[in-house]
Amino acid sequence: MENLGNGGHAALVQLQAYLAQMDLSGETRLPPERELCESLGVSRGDLRKALAILERDGRIWRHVGKGTFVGSGPIEETIGISEIASRTSPADVMRARLIIEPEIAREAALHATLDDIAAMRQSMAQTRVAETWRQYENIDNLLHRQIAQASRNNVLLGIFDVLNAVRRTVVWGRLRSDGNRPPTDHHSFTDHERIVDAIAERDLAGAAAAMRLHLQQVGRRLIPLHEAAE
């Protein structure tokens, strides 16, 4: 997948999920950029990078003075993600994550650079000050992809990207019942610290176990309560 930087890639994933859950019969106009930024929890600069990629690939088209439109025939990748998501439950997503992401964390513990670890720690700090759940989910998405990038395995990274796009589509629009933003004692904060600490310490088994424990906790909250993925 094209290197857009972490922010641009996160915006692309969020935008793909947003498009996949829309009714795309006929020509559909997207909301203005300001509204999209608020809905997706991304900056305008990162949103424009994502829009440029989709326009280049023929997924959207722009009409000066009228707006940005999704055509009647989305590209194969978007159709594939949408079709998979339409046959996928949150439980299916969690089982797939439990198979794949602990092993990705194991590989990250073996291959992560100091820059990788610094980027993960920066993302963890940003999750703690997120002002909305959407912002939190966007940064959480970045953190998990940073771990996948640190595996230095493009096959694993590609699998993660597809799984993540399906995950975001399946959970898009689910409402939180516990406030407008993550609580200060949100379990994922501690979970993420354990994962990144294990990666930094080159503890392969510990990184895999910490990721598995994190996803199990997410699953217990996600599936019974139908909350958004964390």
Side-chain angles (χ1 to χ4, degrees):
M1 188 170 287
E2 183 165 335
N3 182 13
L4 302 173
N6 282 333
H9 184 273
L12 182 59
V13 169
Q14 294 285 65
L15 186 55
Q16 285 175 320
Y18 179 86
L19 293 178
Q21 55 80 48
M22 292 178 67
D23 177 7
L24 298 180
S25 57
E27 293 180 353
T28 303
R29 186 170 68 178
L30 294 179
E33 287 185 2
R34 178 178 56 80
E35 293 181 22
L36 270 179
C37 288
E38 293 175 358
S39 295
L40 304 179
V42 300
S43 71
R44 182 164 289 191
D46 288 335
L47 174 66
R48 287 176 175 172
K49 291 178 185 177
L51 289 170
I53 293 297
L54 296 187
E55 183 176 26
R56 184 199 67 188
D57 291 343
R59 309 183 198 187
I60 62 172
W61 59 278
R62 305 186 195 194
H63 190 295
V64 177
K66 292 187 177 180
T68 301
F69 296 84
V70 182
S72 58
I75 67 163
E76 181 178 352
E77 180 184 2
T78 300
I79 292 175
I81 289 170
S82 179
E83 289 182 349
I84 293 171
S86 70
R87 301 191 299 271
T88 300
S89 70
D92 291 334
V93 173
M94 288 310 309
R95 283 193 291 270
R97 294 186 73 188
L98 279 164
I99 292 169
I100 294 168
E101 291 196 54
E103 296 309 309
I104 288 177
R106 185 190 300 273
E107 288 297 302
L110 182 62
H111 297 290
T113 67
L114 293 178
D115 285 344
D116 291 330
I117 295 166
M120 294 175 203
R121 294 198 187 283
Q122 182 179 11
S123 292
M124 285 195 302
Q126 291 173 345
T127 61
R128 289 184 176 272
V129 296
E131 296 182 355
T132 66
W133 276 113
R134 185 68 73 197
Q135 288 180 5
Y136 167 81
E137 289 162 357
N138 187 39
I139 302 166
D140 174 76
N141 177 68
L142 282 181
L143 174 59
H144 281 263
R145 190 173 195 271
Q146 286 165 342
I147 293 170
Q149 286 176 310
S151 74
R152 294 293 181 272
N153 185 312
N154 287 329
V155 175
L156 288 177
L157 180 59
I159 292 171
F160 172 86
D161 282 340
V162 172
L163 175 58
N164 195 42
V166 172
R167 175 176 75 96
R168 295 306 310 144
T169 303
V170 168
V171 303
W172 182 269
R174 295 184 184 272
L175 298 177
R176 294 277 186 169
S177 59
D178 51 354
N180 296 323
R181 59 184 297 176
T184 57
D185 62 347
H186 186 44
H187 74 92
S188 288
F189 298 151
T190 301
D191 291 353
H192 289 157
E193 288 176 359
R194 290 195 187 102
I195 295 166
V196 175
D197 285 347
I199 291 172
E201 293 166 5
R202 308 300 179 191
D203 181 356
L204 278 65
M211 179 65 80
R212 185 173 295 105
L213 178 62
H214 169 55
L215 295 176
Q216 287 169 341
Q217 290 220 73
V218 171
R220 284 194 291 270
R221 289 164 172 79
L222 168 68
I223 295 169
L225 299 178
H226 302 290
E227 292 182 344
E230 300 172 65

